[in-house]
């Protein structure tokens, strides 16, 4: 507490850096995983290899990925893009399976009724499949939000400033208060973003409130 | 960055106390020891919760908390509290491995249909026999799934353990990062990724084999 009292401007700055790393990564994960998941959920022959690749990607350890990714993408080692790209890879790997389940669980009868009513392509996805998949998708997105916020701290090990900087700096200088602050602020940020996701989810599925 | 240098490094640094062979052995031993200790604690507890249907909230809460707490934070906190040496990373990694194992054991036992358990009770099996002869064999694929998730998390996080202790393949990454020795850094990264992927594929195959054995016991 004493450490936080003296250093709160630094904590706020690092919190800002952290948010700038995780929010684009979460948004990109959703934008990529939802269409890929729908493809995997509706076409089993395509889905199995896609989900297999996702499982393998998720098994790649984080710090080695941060080191390898710049080599693969031709980026500098210390760059926010590298961290965001790595976080996006994990986010997509986590979310694709849930997205495939979400779209796979859309009632085939409803889907066909919509086709009979004249929906096709984009309209079918946007106005029928997606709204019905949102509740399951949302549970997957919440997992991605929470784990991305925690994972982003690893970036501090390659020199990218985030809340993880409090962990490495506190460890190297032997200030327990700084490390504790880093852990607590990271967990609080994860919970706040999780709560926001939940609220957005409620707002975009008004029919569920009526049913409940 | 020159990939040729990385391959030269990978080909020539196997021997010696700080060589790839020794670091690989440390990494594997640490992973094995941590998963074993965590399994001894978490598996019986998870099976108990699954069998009695009491305390399921504990499982959910531990999984949620584990997801939110940054692993690097746990490692550095234990490192500061316990000093250099292996005690801090072992303890931190055991704590990280517990939720997956607990959730796997709980879900494995919990998903056995109640009718099957009641039938076993009706033919006269004791509660201990039901756990050993009915719930554990039928829940095995899910329990092994938990073991797989925990092992992967530990082998991955053991890389970060090298930040607070002189152990494992992660040393190559941290030495390389500090001295800007890209060949060593990228070489170390390739080794860790290869190890994780080999473990993942092996454990996934084991899980598949066990579930085939459960669903088609005669084959």
């Amino acid at each position: 507490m004493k450490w936080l009292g003296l250093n709160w401007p630094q904590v706020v700055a690092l919190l800002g850096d952290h948010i700038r790393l995780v929010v684009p990564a979460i948004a990109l994960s959703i934008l990529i995983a939802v269409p890929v998941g729908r493809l995997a959920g509706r076409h089993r022959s395509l889905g199995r290899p896609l989900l297999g690749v996702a499982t393998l990607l998720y098994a790649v350890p984080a710090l080695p990925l941060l080191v390898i990714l710049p080599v693969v993408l031709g980026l500098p080692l210390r760059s926010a893009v590298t961290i965001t790209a790595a976080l996006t890879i994990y986010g997509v790997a986590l979310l694709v399976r849930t997205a495939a389940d979400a779209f796979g669980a859309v009632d085939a009868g409803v889907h066909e009724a919509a086709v009979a009513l004249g929906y096709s392509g984009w309209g079918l996805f946007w106005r029928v499949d997606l709204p019905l998949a949102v509740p399951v998708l949302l549970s997957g997105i919440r997992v991605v939000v929470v784990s991305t916020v925690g994972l982003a701290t690893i970036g501090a090990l390659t020199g990218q400033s985030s809340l993880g900087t409090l962990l490495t700096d506190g460890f190297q200088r032997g200030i327990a208060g700084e490390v504790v602050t880093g852990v607590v602020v990271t967990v609080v940020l994860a919970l706040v973003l999780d709560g926001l996701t939940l609220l957005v989810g409620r707002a975009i599925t008004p029919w569920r409130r009526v049913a409940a | 960055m020159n990939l040729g240098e990385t391959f030269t490094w990978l080909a020539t640094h196997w021997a010696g106390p700080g060589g790839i062979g020794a670091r690989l052995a440390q990494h594997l031993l640490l992973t094995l020891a941590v998963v074993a200790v965590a399994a001894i604690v978490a598996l019986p507890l998870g099976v108990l919760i699954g069998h009695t249907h009491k305390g399921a909230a504990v499982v959910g809460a531990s999984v949620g908390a584990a997801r939110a707490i940054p692993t690097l934070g746990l490692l550095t906190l234990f490192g500061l509290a316990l000093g250099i040496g292996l005690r801090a990373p072992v303890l931190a990694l055991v704590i990280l491995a517990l939720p997956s194992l607990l959730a796997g054991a709980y879900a494995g036992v919990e998903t056995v249909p109640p009718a099957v358990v009641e039938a076993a009770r009706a033919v006269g099996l004791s509660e201990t026999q039901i756990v050993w002869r009915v719930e554990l064999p039928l829940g095995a694929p899910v329990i092994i799934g938990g073991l797989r998730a925990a092992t992967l998390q530990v082998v991955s996080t053991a890389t970060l353990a090298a930040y607070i202790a002189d152990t494992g393949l992660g040393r190559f990454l941290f030495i390389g990062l500090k001295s800007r020795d890209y060949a060593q850094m990228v070489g170390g990264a390739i080794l860790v990724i290869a190890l994780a992927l080999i473990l993942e594929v092996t454990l996934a195959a084991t899980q598949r084999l066990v579930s085939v054995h459960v669903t088609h016991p005669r084959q």
Side-chain angles (χ1 to χ4, degrees):
Chain A
M1 265 301 149
K2 198 174 148 216
W3 185 90
L4 182 60
L6 293 170
N7 295 278
W8 65 267
Q10 189 203 349
V11 175
V12 171
L14 292 173
L15 177 66
D17 291 341
H18 203 92
I19 291 172
R20 275 190 288 278
L21 292 176
V22 297
V23 170
I26 294 167
L28 277 172
S29 304
I30 298 170
L31 282 177
I32 298 170
V34 167
V36 174
R38 188 199 188 221
L39 213 62
R42 298 215 67 88
H43 307 278
R44 289 284 149 80
S45 55
L46 210 65
R48 283 182 68 91
L50 271 177
L51 295 181
V53 170
T55 310
L56 277 185
L57 278 179
Y58 194 68
V60 174
L63 181 63
L65 184 65
L66 287 183
V67 169
I68 292 283
L69 215 51
V71 183
V72 177
L73 300 178
L75 290 165
L77 183 63
R78 286 169 180 76
S79 101
V81 179
T82 306
I83 313 284
T84 301
L87 293 175
T88 306
I89 289 176
Y90 288 119
V92 170
L94 254 179
L95 193 54
V96 155
R97 184 167 296 271
T98 320
D101 290 343
F103 286 107
V106 170
D107 191 327
V110 174
H111 187 84
E112 277 159 29
V115 173
L117 281 172
Y119 280 109
S120 65
W122 185 247
L124 190 62
F125 168 73
W126 197 242
R127 310 200 50 178
V128 182
D129 288 349
L130 187 60
L132 289 173
V134 159
V136 180
L137 271 179
L138 209 64
S139 67
I141 292 172
R142 292 179 60 193
V143 172
V144 170
V145 165
V146 173
S147 65
T148 304
V149 169
L151 201 56
T153 55
I154 309 275
L157 294 173
T158 57
Q160 182 61 46
S161 90
S162 71
L163 289 171
T165 309
L166 298 174
L167 308 178
T168 51
D169 189 62
F171 176 72
Q172 271 160 10
R173 298 199 291 158
I175 307 171
E178 185 175 0
V179 179
V180 172
T181 304
V183 172
V184 171
V185 177
T186 308
V187 171
V188 169
L189 177 64
L191 295 180
V192 168
L193 290 182
D194 183 39
L196 280 177
T197 313
L198 193 67
L199 286 180
V200 170
R202 289 227 180 109
I204 59 173
T205 53
W207 60 89
R208 281 173 65 84
R209 260 174 299 169
V210 178
Chain B
M1 267 176 252
N2 187 343
L3 272 183
E5 282 171 29
T6 301
F7 289 124
T8 313
W9 182 87
L10 276 173
T12 51
H13 286 75
W14 282 83
I20 296 172
R23 293 298 187 197
L24 185 64
Q26 287 171 354
H27 205 105
L28 276 173
L29 271 176
L30 178 63
T31 304
L32 211 67
V34 165
V35 173
V37 171
I40 290 170
V41 178
L43 292 186
L45 191 62
V47 170
L48 188 74
I49 294 173
H51 181 74
T52 58
H53 301 279
K54 277 177 197 144
V58 177
V59 180
S62 77
V63 172
R67 202 176 282 136
I69 293 173
T71 52
L72 185 62
L74 211 56
L75 279 167
T76 46
L77 266 185
F78 278 88
L80 281 184
L82 301 174
I84 42 176
L86 276 176
R87 270 195 312 165
V90 166
L91 208 59
L93 290 172
V94 165
I95 291 174
L96 288 172
L98 288 175
S100 311
L101 290 163
L102 195 64
Y106 163 74
V109 171
E110 158 82 355
T111 49
V112 173
V116 174
V117 177
E118 277 157 33
R121 210 166 274 142
V123 296
L125 264 66
S126 70
E127 292 305 304
T128 323
Q129 285 174 320
I130 291 175
V131 169
W132 281 102
R133 298 196 190 165
V134 179
E135 289 176 331
L136 280 182
L138 289 177
V142 180
I143 298 174
I144 291 176
L147 204 62
R148 170 183 166 194
T151 308
L152 272 172
Q153 177 162 30
V154 172
V155 88
S156 173
T157 314
T159 320
L160 303 183
Y163 186 67
I164 62 166
D166 178 24
T167 188
L169 293 168
R171 285 312 300 164
F172 296 130
L173 286 154
F174 288 111
I175 294 169
L177 277 167
K178 206 162 224 173
S179 58
R180 297 181 179 268
D181 178 352
Y182 288 108
Q184 178 167 185
M185 189 176 82
V186 175
I190 291 173
L191 287 169
V192 179
I193 291 175
L195 179 64
L197 291 184
I198 290 170
L199 277 176
E200 157 70 14
V201 170
T202 314
L203 286 169
T206 311
Q207 194 183 358
R208 214 169 302 128
L209 216 67
V210 171
S211 45
V212 168
H213 189 73
V214 168
T215 45
H216 305 283
R218 283 196 191 145
Q219 284 174 5

